[in-house]
Amino acid sequence: DTAVSQTPKYLVTQMGNDKSIKCEQNLGHDTMYWYKQDSKKFLKIMFSYNNKELIINETVPNRFSPKSPDKAHLNLHINSLELGDSAVYFCASSQEATGYYGYTFGSGTRLTVV
Amino acid sequence: KQEVTQIPAALSVPEGENLVLNCSFTDSAIYNLQWFRQDPGKGLTSLLLIQSSQREQTSGRLNASLDKSSGRSTLYIAASQPGDSATYLCAVSSGYALNFGKGTSLLVTP
């Protein structure tokens, strides 16, 4: 009964391919996020959805497109993958948009672009 | 824009020592501050959550304090053990997302 689950755990793909990462939370939270952890281990917000609506879209290439079919799911689709997209992508959720009650993270998806 | 700084970047201590990790943030208008632990190649494990109205939280050998007015938090680890070796991340919620520090990499030697 994992609270925030991401699939796949590992993803190796060639440059130029399109790939998707899926995230699901069973906590009943309203808000979900995608974070990117780069090679220097720094975690940075990419997107935030509250009740299926986009509320944060940081400076991310438009090759990255999040989709939230319902408030329990937030998927990340990446077009035309580049070497620099190699990173660990974390999904997270919070009870509401301010995060006042804390955040829960998934175990991450390690994306390697070759 | 909220900026979070963690000092030191790395720390090596012998087993049994008490230690303090520091976190500072630039904007005191926060909803909460959360400390996480990350083991190599693993996800983030939440250690302690301090909501904006609170001053500290404790869990086992861990104690975290929050001083919003000065923009500081400390994570105190008592009687450190080799199993405490990991990267410790401080994150601040100013609304709509968590802003992370770059972490403190802790090594506890037997």
Side-chain angles (χ1 to χ4, degrees):
Chain A
D1 55 341
T2 305
V4 179
S5 58
Q6 299 178 225
T7 54
K9 193 170 175 62
Y10 300 96
L11 188 52
V12 181
T13 188
Q14 291 187 326
M15 283 176 55
N17 283 352
D18 303 338
K19 289 294 178 185
S20 291
I21 306 172
K22 295 187 175 183
C23 180
E24 176 181 3
Q25 54 97 1
N26 62 6
L27 298 166
H29 288 174
D30 284 345
T31 313
M32 296 184 71
Y33 311 82
W34 279 110
Y35 280 83
K36 179 180 180 180
Q37 188 171 42
D38 60 25
S39 57
K40 295 183 179 178
K41 309 299 182 188
F42 184 56
L43 273 153
K44 191 172 180 184
I45 182 70
M46 299 174 69
F47 301 103
S48 170
Y49 269 75
N50 187 57
N51 275 320
K52 301 192 299 175
E53 286 193 24
L54 181 67
I55 56 173
I56 289 179
N57 181 352
E58 288 294 304
T59 319
V60 177
N62 58 16
R63 298 181 294 103
F64 290 77
S65 53
K67 283 189 172 53
S68 182
D70 55 63
K71 74 173 193 177
H73 295 84
L74 179 62
N75 303 321
L76 183 65
H77 188 75
I78 316 170
N79 289 325
S80 304
L81 277 155
E82 300 177 357
L83 292 176
D85 297 331
S86 295
V88 182
Y89 293 85
F90 286 98
C91 178
S93 71
S94 63
Q95 191 167 326
E96 37 69 62
T98 68
Y100 181 75
Y101 300 100
Y103 295 74
T104 303
F105 280 76
S107 56
T109 295
R110 183 174 296 274
L111 172 64
T112 303
V113 183
V114 297
Chain B
K1 183 182 175 184
Q2 181 72 269
E3 293 194 2
V4 181
T5 303
Q6 291 188 245
I7 294 172
L11 183 61
S12 180
V13 299
E15 182 176 6
E17 272 203 9
N18 302 324
L19 56 100
V20 174
L21 308 182
N22 296 293
C23 173
S24 62
F25 46 95
T26 54
D27 184 350
S28 61
I30 66 170
Y31 287 92
N32 66 43
L33 184 145
Q34 200 164 354
W35 283 93
F36 293 88
R37 168 184 173 144
Q38 187 174 29
D39 293 282
K42 303 292 185 183
L44 279 68
T45 301
S46 180
L47 297 173
L48 291 165
L49 168 70
I50 311 177
Q51 292 166 336
S52 58
S53 56
Q54 299 172 326
R55 295 297 301 268
E56 69 175 341
Q57 285 289 334
T58 297
S59 175
R61 295 182 292 108
L62 305 180
N63 174 276
S65 66
L66 173 63
D67 183 343
K68 274 200 323 177
S69 60
S70 66
R72 294 180 188 278
S73 175
T74 61
L75 177 65
Y76 176 83
I77 302 177
S80 58
Q81 302 170 358
D84 294 331
S85 298
T87 296
Y88 290 80
L89 295 163
C90 171
V92 172
S93 176
S94 303
Y96 302 118
L98 267 181
N99 294 287
F100 281 86
K102 293 185 178 181
T104 293
S105 179
L106 173 65
L107 177 63
V108 181
T109 55

